[in-house]
Amino acid sequence: MKPQAKIERVAVYPGSFDPVTLGHLDIIHRAAKQFDKLIVAVLNNTSKNPLFTVEERKELLRQATDDLDNVEVDSFRDLLVRYMRSRDAGVIVRGIRSVTDFEYELQLASTNRHLDEGIETIFMTTNPKYSYLSSSIVKEIAQFEGEVRELVPPHVEQALRDRFRERAQAADRR
Ligand code: ADP
């Protein structure tokens, strides 16, 4: 039999991750089991007004995925499919929480397919525990000093507290 070179299956999980939640982490843990390597890629999107910088979001993700050997954290500002090619990745992983997510995700997947037929999108359905959970909801709760302990890892909870405290202090000085 011919010796076969092992083909590494590399997937990318792209998103804003502003900040990473337990919903994202659930997808990351499950997706990491399906691929040789999973790159969690923070979208460097200048049109949104993020709470955390790209570097901060990456650091929060790194700490959250410390225990997963085949997970790498990166960022990109290029077209996703072009970034995928540059990383030799063939699969995009996205999470689906609801029908609304599905409609948007289908549009996104079709666009990416149109741009590059060789790249596949795989959807993973949410863990029902986190079906209502989003970064926006977490930020909304944290902004009013609500409890986010069951929604994000402890270091993210701390980062949220610090960021909103800084903002409140800056507003007081104005
Ligand atoms: P984007 O700005 O690209 O939507 P997000 O950081 O909000 O980035 O989400 C990244 C991906 O993770 C998306 O596919 C989103 O549907 C999915 N996702 C977000 N929250 C959850 C959750 N609680 N359960 C499952 N998937 C989720």
Side-chain angles (χ1 to χ4, degrees):
M1 224 170 47
K2 251 207 290 189
Q4 279 194 334
K6 168 137 173 39
I7 301 170
E8 218 196 8
R9 281 173 40 88
V10 183
V12 169
Y13 179 33
S16 308
F17 304 106
D18 185 38
V20 59
T21 68
L22 293 185
H24 294 130
L25 279 173
D26 180 69
I27 298 281
I28 293 172
H29 276 89
R30 287 157 55 204
K33 286 192 199 140
Q34 305 299 326
F35 299 94
D36 296 312
K37 181 169 168 177
L38 179 72
I39 303 171
V40 183
V42 178
L43 172 62
N44 197 335
N45 185 347
T46 43
S47 66
K48 280 194 184 176
N49 184 15
L51 181 64
F52 294 103
T53 66
V54 169
E55 276 317 308
E56 288 169 338
R57 283 181 264 161
K58 281 166 73 175
E59 190 46 42
L60 294 174
L61 272 163
R62 270 195 212 103
Q63 284 183 45
T65 56
D66 227 14
D67 55 329
L68 297 168
D69 288 342
N70 65 337
V71 172
E72 181 192 321
V73 177
D74 194 10
S75 59
F76 70 105
R77 57 164 80 236
D78 200 356
L79 263 183
L80 176 59
V81 290
R82 211 178 285 144
Y83 169 73
M84 306 270 305
R85 288 285 175 196
S86 76
R87 299 299 320 262
D88 286 328
V91 178
I92 301 169
V93 172
R94 296 285 287 177
I96 301 264
R97 284 162 293 194
S98 61
V99 176
T100 331
D101 264 359
F102 181 72
E103 283 188 12
Y104 172 68
E105 293 293 339
L106 187 60
Q107 195 181 8
L108 213 61
S110 306
T111 308
N112 286 325
R113 190 190 181 84
H114 169 76
L115 294 172
D116 189 333
E117 283 216 326
I119 290 190
E120 203 62 68
T121 300
I122 285 186
F123 296 126
M124 298 191 73
T125 51
T126 185
N127 178 331
K129 256 191 344 198
Y130 305 127
S131 61
Y132 63 93
L133 182 52
S134 69
S135 299
S136 322
I137 284 187
V138 164
K139 286 185 275 193
E140 202 121 315
I141 300 172
Q143 181 174 7
F144 299 108
E145 293 171 32
E147 188 57 74
V148 292
R149 190 168 302 152
E150 283 172 15
L151 313 180
V152 294
H155 68 285
V156 175
E157 185 190 355
Q158 186 60 50
L160 282 161
R161 206 176 293 131
D162 293 347
R163 180 54 36 94
F164 283 117
R165 191 175 300 134
E166 282 161 24
R167 288 205 167 178
Q169 284 166 355
D172 282 348
R173 281 197 295 273
R174 260 186 252 128

